[in-house]
Amino acid sequence: MNKQQLISLLFILLATISGIFAWDFFSENKWINFVLFTIISIGCIVLAQISALSFVQKSEKILLAIQKKDFSLFPETEDNNLVDHAVKLYYQSKEEHLSYSSYKLLYEGILNQLEIGLMILSETDNKWEVFYVNPVFLEILKIPKYNSWELYESKIPDFYKIIEQTNYENSQEFFDISINENVRQSFSLRTKKVENVKNRFCIISLESLQKIIEQKEKLAWNNLMKVISHELLNTLTPVNSLIQNLEYIANQQVVGKEDQQEMKESLTVINSKSKQLLNFVDDYRQVAELPKPVFKIIALKTIVESALNFLKSEFDKSNITVSLLHWKIKEF
C-alpha cells in the first residue's frame, strides 16, 4: 500500500471516528460538540475524496494527451498503479508516434525522388481525398497541390474524368490531354486499388510517353555502346599484342626462320581479326540503316483483307460493319 492510499484511509478513519463522536454528542444534546465533530467528519471525507480524485485527474490528463496526440508532456511515475499504467501507456504511444512519423518521412522522401508522377487517393465516407501527391505529378500537369480531390476537377477536367471512368479500380490507360491550353500530350496512366477492412486507396501513376520513349532510346543506346565496346576490345587487344611482337622481331638485326614463321602467323591473325571487325561494322551499318526498297507487284485485295481482319475487334466494339466490293486487278 502506497503513501497516498494510507493518507486516504487515514482521512476516512478520522471521518468515521468524528462521526461516532458527533452521534454521541447529538444523543447527549451537546450541540456545540456535535456541530464541531460533524464539520471535522465532513472535512475528512472531502479531503479523502480530493486525495483519491487527484490520481484519477492525473491519469485522465495523460490519457487525453494520448488521444489528442499531444506528446509535449513529461509525466513521471508515482506510487499509484493507475497513474503508473497511464504513464507507461503514454510513453509507449509516444514512441509509436515517433516511429510512425519517421517512417512517413522516409517513405515520402523516397516517393518524392521518383521520376514518375504519383498520387494516392483515400476514400472516407464515400468521398475521395488526396492522401499523397509527389512534386513530379504536379509538375507534369502544371497544377497546385490540393487536399480535396474534387478541386482537381476544375483544374484538369479531362484527367479527372478519366480517373472517374476507371471507377478507382485497377486499370492501365493511354490518353492525350491538353495542359494549360497547350499542345496535347500523350501520357501513360495506371491505377491500382488497395484496400483493407477499414480503408480504401487508389494509387495513380502518371508518366509522359515521350519521356518513356526517351528513356528506352537511351537504354538501347547504352546497350549498343556496350556491345560495340566489347567487340572492339575483343578484336583490338590481340591485334595490339601481335603488332608489339612484330615490332620486336623487326628491330632485330637478324631475323631467323622461326621469327619469319611467327611473323607470318601474326599477320594472318591480324588479317583475320581485321576482316572480323569489318564484318561487324558492316552488319551494324545494315541494322542501323533502312533497307533499300524492293519494288514488286502485289495484290491490294490481300492487304485490305489483312488490315480489316486486324481491326475487326475494334470495328465490333464500335458497331462498324465493313462490306468488301469485288473488283478485278489489271495485270501488267
Side-chain angles (χ1 to χ4, degrees):
M1 186 177 294
N2 56 51
K3 180 179 178 181
Q4 190 65 32
Q5 289 177 331
L6 288 174
I7 294 175
S8 298
L9 288 176
L10 179 61
F11 282 131
I12 293 174
L13 180 62
L14 291 175
T16 303
I17 295 173
S18 298
I20 293 174
F21 278 108
W23 176 257
D24 184 63
F25 289 132
F26 176 77
S27 301
E28 296 177 0
N29 295 325
K30 297 180 179 180
W31 304 110
I32 296 177
N33 292 337
F34 166 72
V35 172
L36 177 63
F37 278 94
T38 299
I39 294 173
I40 293 174
S41 179
I42 294 173
C44 289
I45 293 174
V46 171
L47 291 175
Q49 186 177 8
I50 292 174
S51 178
L53 287 177
S54 64
F55 289 99
V56 176
Q57 291 174 349
K58 290 180 180 178
S59 301
E60 288 181 346
K61 181 180 179 181
I62 296 173
L63 294 176
L64 184 62
I66 296 173
Q67 182 181 1
K68 294 186 176 181
K69 306 297 182 191
D70 179 13
F71 297 105
S72 60
L73 306 178
F74 297 92
E76 297 181 356
T77 57
E78 300 181 11
D79 294 331
N80 184 279
N81 291 333
L82 181 61
V83 176
D84 291 347
H85 290 319
V87 170
K88 290 179 180 178
L89 181 61
Y90 175 86
Y91 284 111
Q92 179 181 346
S93 300
K94 184 177 182 179
E95 185 68 24
E96 292 176 353
H97 179 74
L98 292 175
S99 298
Y100 170 77
S101 300
S102 300
Y103 285 129
K104 182 180 179 182
L105 183 64
L106 176 62
Y107 294 152
E108 288 185 354
I110 295 173
L111 295 176
N112 288 340
Q113 296 299 319
L114 294 178
E115 295 183 357
I116 65 173
L118 186 68
M119 173 182 280
I120 303 176
L121 303 178
S122 63
E123 186 181 31
T124 303
D125 297 330
N126 296 324
K127 184 179 180 182
W128 290 97
E129 298 291 338
V130 177
F131 181 79
Y132 168 81
V133 58
N134 69 350
V136 177
F137 186 93
L138 302 175
E139 177 64 23
I140 291 175
L141 297 179
K142 307 297 182 183
I143 51 175
K145 181 180 179 181
Y146 299 111
N147 292 327
S148 176
W149 170 237
E150 293 180 352
L151 293 177
Y152 287 90
E153 183 178 8
S154 58
K155 296 295 182 180
I156 43 174
D158 294 339
F159 177 78
Y160 184 89
K161 183 178 179 181
I162 293 172
I163 300 299
E164 287 285 318
Q165 290 174 349
T166 65
N167 198 27
Y168 304 95
E169 300 287 338
N170 299 337
S171 68
Q172 182 175 2
E173 304 284 343
F174 296 94
F175 65 96
D176 297 335
I177 61 172
S178 176
I179 299 176
N180 292 339
E181 298 181 355
N182 294 327
V183 179
R184 297 181 72 86
Q185 302 180 34
S186 300
F187 294 94
S188 170
L189 172 70
R190 292 184 180 181
T191 58
K192 174 70 174 179
K193 179 183 70 174
V194 179
E195 62 181 341
N196 55 23
V197 178
K198 185 178 180 181
N199 302 103
R200 182 187 178 193
F201 298 95
C202 179
I203 303 175
I204 304 171
S205 60
L206 183 66
E207 192 170 8
S208 171
L209 288 182
Q210 181 63 32
K211 190 173 183 180
I212 295 176
I213 294 173
E214 291 175 355
Q215 291 176 346
K216 296 296 183 182
E217 290 178 347
K218 184 178 180 181
L219 179 61
W221 179 255
N222 290 336
N223 292 334
L224 179 60
M225 289 299 100
K226 290 179 181 178
V227 173
I228 294 176
S229 300
H230 177 74
E231 189 66 25
L232 290 175
L233 288 175
N234 285 346
T235 304
L236 296 179
T237 300
V239 170
N240 184 57
S241 177
L242 291 172
I243 291 175
Q244 291 178 357
N245 187 39
L246 289 174
E247 184 180 1
Y248 172 77
I249 295 174
N251 289 332
Q252 295 180 357
Q253 293 181 355
V254 179
V255 179
K257 291 184 178 181
E258 293 182 357
D259 291 335
Q260 292 178 0
Q261 182 64 29
E262 186 175 350
M263 291 177 66
K264 291 181 180 180
E265 293 176 354
S266 298
L267 291 173
T268 301
V269 173
I270 292 174
N271 184 44
S272 175
K273 290 294 183 180
S274 299
K275 290 181 179 180
Q276 181 181 345
L277 184 59
L278 288 173
N279 291 333
F280 171 76
V281 173
D282 187 61
D283 292 340
Y284 168 72
R285 181 181 58 80
Q286 293 180 10
V287 173
E289 295 180 358
L290 292 175
K292 295 182 179 179
V294 178
F295 297 98
K296 62 180 180 179
I297 298 175
I298 59 174
L300 292 178
K301 181 180 179 182
T302 304
I303 297 177
V304 173
E305 289 178 346
S306 177
L308 292 177
N309 289 332
F310 179 75
L311 297 173
K312 186 177 183 303
S313 59
E314 298 295 329
F315 289 158
D316 293 340
K317 290 181 181 178
S318 303
N319 296 323
I320 298 175
T321 303
V322 180
S323 299
L324 290 177
L325 299 178
H326 296 283
W327 70 90
K328 292 183 180 181
I329 301 177
K330 183 178 180 182
E331 297 183 357
F332 295 91

